[in-house]
Amino acid sequence: MEKKKSMSVEQSYTDHEIGDINKNFDDDGREKRSGTWMTGSAHIITAVIGSGVLSLAWAIAQLGWVAGPAVLMAFSFITYFTSTMLADCYRSPDPVTGKRNYTYMEVVRSYLGGRKVQLCGLAQYGNLIGITIGYTITASISMVAVKRSNCFHKNGHNVKCATSNTPFMIVFAIIQIILSQIPNFHNLSWLSILAAVMSFCYASIGVGLSIAKAAGGGEHVRTTLTGVTVGIDVSGSEKVWRTFQAIGDIAFAYAYSTVLIEIQATTLIFLSNIQIFVRSYKLIIFCKTFDTLKAGPPSENKAMKRASLVGVSTTTFFYMLCGCVGYAAFGNDAPGNFLTGFGFYEPFWLIDFANVCIAVHLVGAYQVFCQPIFQFVESQSAKRWPDNKFITGEYKIHVPCCGEFSINFLRLVWRTSYVVVTAVVAMIFPFFNDFLGLIGAASFWPLTVYFPIEMHIAQKKIPKFSFTWTWLKILSWACFVVSIVAAAGSVQGLITSLKDFKPFQAP
C-alpha cells in the first residue's frame, strides 16, 4: 500500500503540466482532432465514389436526358439537406457545446430513444448484409469480365464467350473467409487504402472510355429526352419497372447519407486525417469524419456542413459525368454495368485493369461492411456467455513467415458461416442492377431521410402541424414512396432475371 501511495505522489502533475496535457486533448478526453472542412470534404468524396457509378449510364438511359439528371440532382439535394441536419446532431442537446455522439445509433438514442434505436440498428445491419451480398455479385462479374475480355480479344467480338460466375464467387468467398479471421479490423488498414485508390482508378477509366467512345463517332447511338422508348426498346410495363429500378440504382450511388453508420467496435478511434482516410469509406465516413474535425472555430457542425456541400457537389458533378457521358456513348442500349457489360472491347488490357481494380476494391469494401456485423454478434455472445471458452477463448498458433496468430472458435465458425451464406445468396441472385437497386431503395428512406428529419424535429422542438413540421413530414413521406416504388421495381427485376437466368452461364 505504501509503495502504491508513493507512486501516486511521484506521478502527480503540476498545473503547468496539466495545461500542456489539456492542449493535446479535446473536451471528451481523446487526442485533439485536427481535421478541417477541406479534409472532411476529401473524405466524403473518397467514400461516396464507388461501385455505384457503374450503373449510372444504365439508369440515365431508363430515365432520359430530362428525368435522369433531374433525379440525380434531387438525390444530391436531399443528401446534402439531411447531412446538414445530422451535422447539428453530432452533439446533444446543444449542437456546439453538447455531449459528443460517436455513432449513428448513439445519436438516435440521444434524440429519439425507445424502439427507434432498435429500428435504426435493424436498418443499419440489414443494409450491411445486403451490401456484402451485392459486393460478392459485383466482384464476381468483374472477374468474369476479365476472362471474357481476353476471349473477345482473341476470338473476335461475335463469339459468345459465356462464363459462369459461380467459380469466381467461390474464389471471392475464400479470400473473404481468410481476411475475416483477422481479429482487429485496423490491421487491414492497408487494404482500405488500396481499395480507395482502386475505386478512383476504375471510375476514371470508365469516364475516359465513355468520352472517347462518344467523341470518336463510329456507330450511331440513339438517345431521347425520355430514355428507352416504349414499343422499340421495351414494353410499357418494362418501362415503368425499369424507371423504378433506375431510381433505386441512383439511391445506392448516393450511399453517403446512409453512411452515418460507423464501426466503433472494430476500429481504433480516428485521431488524424490519415487514419480516417485509411479506415473510412462508404460506411463510416460521416460520424468518423466528424470525429476528426477540430473543435473550432468554426464549430464542428459548421465545418461539417461546408464539407458536405463541397463533397456532395463534387460527387454530383462526377456522377453527372459518368451517367450522362455514358448515356451519350451507349444510348438507350447502355449496359447495366458499363465496364462489364461489354460496351467497350478495346483496349482490352485497360478494360481488364479496370475490372481488376473493381475486384480489389470490393475485396476491401466487403471487409469494411461486414466487420460491424461480426463485432455485434461476437460482443453480444461474449456478454451473454462470458465463461464459455468456445466464445471467449483465444488460442495462439504459429504461422510460418507470419508469426503468431490468434484463433477464436466462435470467430472461426461464425465469420466463415456468414461469408458462405452471403456467397450462396449471391449465387442464387447474381444480378447486378437489380440487387444494387434493392439495396439503395431499402436503405435510402430510413437512414438518409427518416431518422435525420425526426432527430432535427426533436432537437429544434418544432411544434406539431407548424409549417416547418408539415413540410418536413411531407418530404419524409414523399421519399418513403420513392423508396417503395424503387424497391418494387428492383424486386420485379430480380424475379424477371431469375426466370430468365440459366445456371452456369454469365447472366
Side-chain angles (χ1 to χ4, degrees):
M1 294 297 292
E2 288 292 321
K3 184 177 283 189
K4 287 183 180 178
K5 186 175 181 180
S6 64
M7 286 177 65
S8 173
V9 171
E10 289 173 6
Q11 290 178 358
S12 63
Y13 298 100
T14 65
D15 291 341
H16 176 72
E17 288 171 328
I18 290 172
D20 289 339
I21 292 171
N22 288 338
K23 289 180 181 179
N24 297 322
F25 293 90
D26 274 329
D27 54 2
D28 58 351
R30 298 183 178 185
E31 190 172 330
K32 188 168 285 293
R33 300 154 176 87
S34 59
T36 65
W37 68 267
M38 289 185 290
T39 58
S41 60
H43 302 329
I44 291 167
I45 294 166
T46 303
V48 178
I49 297 175
S51 60
V53 302
L54 301 173
S55 65
L56 289 178
W58 180 89
I60 298 294
Q62 310 314 306
L63 299 169
W65 285 119
V66 176
V71 171
L72 270 172
M73 288 302 299
F75 274 94
S76 171
F77 171 77
I78 293 170
T79 296
Y80 170 69
F81 180 66
T82 55
S83 296
T84 61
M85 293 180 177
L86 285 161
D88 287 331
C89 292
Y90 173 63
R91 288 178 180 264
S92 61
D94 186 87
V96 178
T97 60
K99 181 182 75 72
R100 296 175 189 265
N101 296 294
Y102 302 106
T103 73
Y104 197 123
M105 287 185 70
E106 279 186 25
V107 176
V108 174
R109 184 176 288 109
S110 294
Y111 285 102
L112 303 178
R115 290 276 184 186
K116 290 182 180 178
V117 179
Q118 297 174 344
L119 290 174
C120 175
L122 184 63
Q124 286 184 349
Y125 288 111
N127 184 44
L128 294 177
I129 293 168
I131 289 174
T132 55
I133 295 169
Y135 280 179
T136 303
I137 296 168
T138 311
S140 67
I141 291 174
S142 296
M143 293 181 212
V144 166
V146 173
K147 187 173 181 179
R148 295 183 70 202
S149 174
N150 293 331
C151 174
F152 287 133
H153 178 72
K154 183 178 180 180
N155 302 312
H157 300 170
N158 295 324
V159 179
K160 192 173 183 181
C161 291
T163 306
S164 171
N165 287 6
T166 304
F168 295 95
M169 288 187 184
I170 294 172
V171 170
F172 185 80
I174 291 171
I175 293 171
Q176 296 303 336
I177 288 171
I178 294 170
L179 292 176
S180 296
Q181 300 310 314
I182 298 175
N184 296 316
F185 181 62
H186 65 268
N187 291 334
L188 295 174
S189 59
W190 60 271
L191 187 61
S192 290
I193 292 179
L194 182 63
V197 172
M198 293 296 101
S199 68
F200 275 103
C201 283
Y202 69 71
S204 301
I205 289 171
V207 171
L209 289 173
S210 295
I211 292 173
K213 183 176 175 64
E219 62 181 279
H220 174 72
V221 296
R222 183 168 50 85
T223 64
T224 63
L225 293 177
T226 57
V228 292
T229 307
V230 175
I232 299 176
D233 302 305
V234 292
S235 66
S237 62
E238 285 177 330
K239 172 70 174 178
V240 172
W241 290 120
R242 285 191 179 193
T243 298
F244 292 164
Q245 188 182 328
I247 294 171
D249 283 357
I250 293 173
F252 179 83
Y254 274 104
Y256 156 66
S257 320
T258 70
V259 190
L260 306 154
I261 310 169
E262 65 96 51
I263 45 181
Q264 180 90 18
T266 59
T267 61
L268 298 176
I269 297 300
F270 301 143
L271 302 175
S272 68
N273 304 337
I274 297 299
Q275 283 174 305
I276 186 158
F277 176 77
V278 165
R279 299 180 184 94
S280 72
Y281 71 106
K282 244 184 198 79
L283 184 62
I284 18 174
I285 273 300
F286 197 91
C287 287
K288 287 311 183 185
T289 297
F290 240 137
D291 206 29
T292 62
L293 294 179
K294 62 183 180 182
S299 60
E300 295 127 327
N301 62 330
K302 289 183 179 179
M304 195 63 203
K305 287 175 184 179
R306 192 172 182 182
S308 294
L309 178 61
V310 174
V312 173
S313 299
T314 305
T315 301
T316 300
F317 172 77
F318 192 78
Y319 279 2
M320 284 288 188
L321 204 60
C322 287
C324 294
V325 174
Y327 183 40
F330 299 112
N332 290 346
D333 295 324
N337 179 330
F338 71 166
L339 285 176
T340 64
F342 288 94
F344 306 111
Y345 288 95
E346 300 293 342
F348 82 99
W349 58 269
L350 185 60
I351 296 162
D352 285 354
F353 177 71
N355 280 298
V356 169
C357 287
I358 295 172
V360 172
H361 168 220
L362 296 181
V363 166
Y366 185 102
Q367 284 299 313
V368 172
F369 283 89
C370 70
Q371 285 290 334
I373 306 170
F374 294 160
Q375 292 293 332
F376 175 76
V377 172
E378 289 162 15
S379 62
Q380 292 300 312
S381 298
K383 286 180 182 177
R384 186 160 186 176
W385 300 286
D387 299 323
N388 191 312
K389 294 299 182 183
F390 179 84
I391 294 172
T392 60
E394 294 283 344
Y395 304 93
K396 302 286 185 181
I397 62 170
H398 182 75
V399 180
C401 303
C402 297
E404 285 192 340
F405 187 78
S406 180
I407 291 290
N408 171 269
F409 289 126
L410 173 64
R411 185 166 62 238
L412 179 64
V413 174
W414 149 238
R415 297 189 180 192
T416 300
S417 300
Y418 178 86
V419 174
V420 170
V421 170
T422 56
V424 170
V425 173
M427 290 175 194
I428 297 172
F429 302 103
F431 313 114
F432 176 76
N433 288 86
D434 307 316
F435 216 93
L436 256 58
L438 184 60
I439 296 168
S443 60
F444 170 68
W445 179 72
L447 298 175
T448 304
V449 180
Y450 175 74
F451 285 117
I453 285 178
E454 291 299 310
M455 289 188 290
H456 178 75
I457 291 173
Q459 183 190 52
K460 302 298 183 183
K461 297 180 173 60
I462 299 173
K464 275 189 176 183
F465 306 112
S466 65
F467 174 77
T468 303
W469 183 92
T470 302
W471 79 260
L472 284 174
K473 289 290 186 178
I474 289 172
L475 174 63
S476 180
W477 279 104
C479 291
F480 176 71
V481 172
V482 169
S483 287
I484 291 296
V485 299
S490 298
V491 169
Q492 194 276 340
L494 277 173
I495 294 170
T496 302
S497 298
L498 197 57
K499 287 179 180 177
D500 298 336
F501 178 56
K502 296 179 181 179
F504 309 111
Q505 290 186 21

